[in-house]
Amino acid sequence: MSAALLALLALCCPPVQAEAAANVVVYQCKYTGSTETQIVTIDVELQVPTSAVTGQQMTIGWRGAYTELALLAPEQELPADAKLYAYASIKGIDGLTSATGVGTLPPVGTDEQIQLPTSVVELKTTPNKAGTGTVQPAAINFGTKPTEPLIECEVQNETALSAAPLTIAGAGQNESPSPSPSPSPSESASETPTESATSSDEEAPEIGKTPIGGAATGAGGDAGPDGRTFVLVGLLVVFAASAGLVLRRRGNHAG
């Protein structure tokens, strides 16, 4: 079936799946140097990074597979070194509009189906500002150079496509949080005397305190040499007074 007939069928009876599935992209492809166009439907899967940071290159994974209509090589066939150039559209982030990547293609002959890359195509871009936006599938081209495409395919159902969220963090926002700061010198100084006083009070022996469970002794047990001297003098005074009283009594009896 020729490419012109496929294009006519697609225009008359557009595939229902292209409208029902938001990730199925309808492309209109045209060949360089020819007025011939072709409608292609590709199920595109985008793998959007979750940890993109400003100033660092990020990668959006692109994987595509034909659904109803596949792309056929032109009559002059593609060069052996032809490649796929895939694009993603980015909206909502200032200064960031697209990402692009290159995928290798297997050899293809005239009027044969152009096979899409089997591995994930890495679309690269570098954000310069933080923000939150969305990512959608965009154009795909085929050729040997990105600036000289042999086949250009533009999205026809952009408003029907679902958008994947994309968040760009500012530099340093994804780093681990810093540990809690140590207490300030003033706080440490205010705590140290209290701890030292408590420790000294607990370790110092008790002085001049009545033992638990004991009776107060009035310093009798704790009296030193000076206390015992006063007690001895008092006993001598009492003894002398008693001796004088006995002598006085004997003198009275003698008289």
Side-chain angles (χ1 to χ4, degrees), residues 43-249:
D43 190 349
V44 177
E45 176 189 354
L46 294 179
Q47 302 172 0
V48 180
T50 58
S51 57
V53 181
T54 56
Q56 298 181 14
Q57 188 180 67
M58 71 175 190
T59 300
I60 299 174
W62 186 99
R63 186 191 294 273
Y66 294 119
T67 57
E68 293 289 332
L69 302 174
L71 180 63
L72 300 179
E75 295 181 356
Q76 66 271 25
E77 74 182 25
L78 288 178
D81 58 346
K83 299 177 178 61
L84 165 74
Y85 298 93
Y87 299 85
S89 173
I90 302 175
K91 298 179 181 179
I93 300 176
D94 190 19
L96 188 64
T97 59
S98 64
T100 181
V102 183
T104 58
L105 299 173
V108 59
T110 302
D111 287 335
E112 291 183 352
Q113 179 176 303
I114 299 176
Q115 299 296 327
L116 298 176
T118 56
S119 59
V120 175
V121 179
E122 295 184 345
L123 312 185
K124 304 287 187 177
T125 188
T126 301
N128 294 320
K129 294 183 179 181
T132 301
T134 57
V135 182
Q136 284 183 302
I140 55 174
N141 295 335
F142 299 84
T144 57
K145 297 179 181 180
T147 56
E148 299 178 3
L150 299 176
I151 303 175
E152 297 179 84
C153 300
E154 297 292 336
V155 177
Q156 300 299 297
N157 62 334
E158 180 180 352
T159 58
L161 299 178
S162 61
L166 172 65
T167 299
I168 308 297
Q173 291 185 7
N174 287 344
E175 299 178 358
S176 302
S178 302
S180 301
S182 302
S184 61
S186 59
E187 293 175 352
S188 300
S190 63
E191 294 176 358
T192 303
T194 303
E195 295 176 357
S196 300
T198 303
S199 175
S200 301
D201 185 62
E202 291 177 354
E203 297 178 359
E206 296 184 359
I207 300 176
K209 293 185 178 180
T210 303
I212 297 176
T217 58
D222 293 336
D226 293 339
R228 289 192 294 270
T229 302
F230 289 125
V231 173
L232 180 59
V233 170
L235 291 176
L236 291 177
V237 170
V238 173
F239 178 76
S242 299
L245 181 59
V246 171
L247 293 175
R248 189 178 302 130
R249 286 180 178 180

Side-chain angles (χ1 to χ4, degrees), residues 2-68:
S2 66
L5 181 58
L6 286 174
L8 180 61
L9 290 175
L11 292 175
C12 294
C13 306
V16 177
Q17 292 182 355
E19 297 179 1
N23 60 337
V24 175
V25 185
V26 178
Y27 288 102
Q28 184 180 51
C29 302
K30 62 180 181 178
Y31 304 95
T32 302
S34 174
T35 58
E36 183 180 359
T37 61
Q38 183 179 347
I39 297 298
V40 177
T41 56
I42 301 178
D43 190 349
V44 177
E45 176 189 354
L46 294 179
Q47 302 172 0
V48 180
T50 58
S51 57
V53 181
T54 56
Q56 298 181 14
Q57 188 180 67
M58 71 175 190
T59 300
I60 299 174
W62 186 99
R63 186 191 294 273
Y66 294 119
T67 57
E68 293 289 332

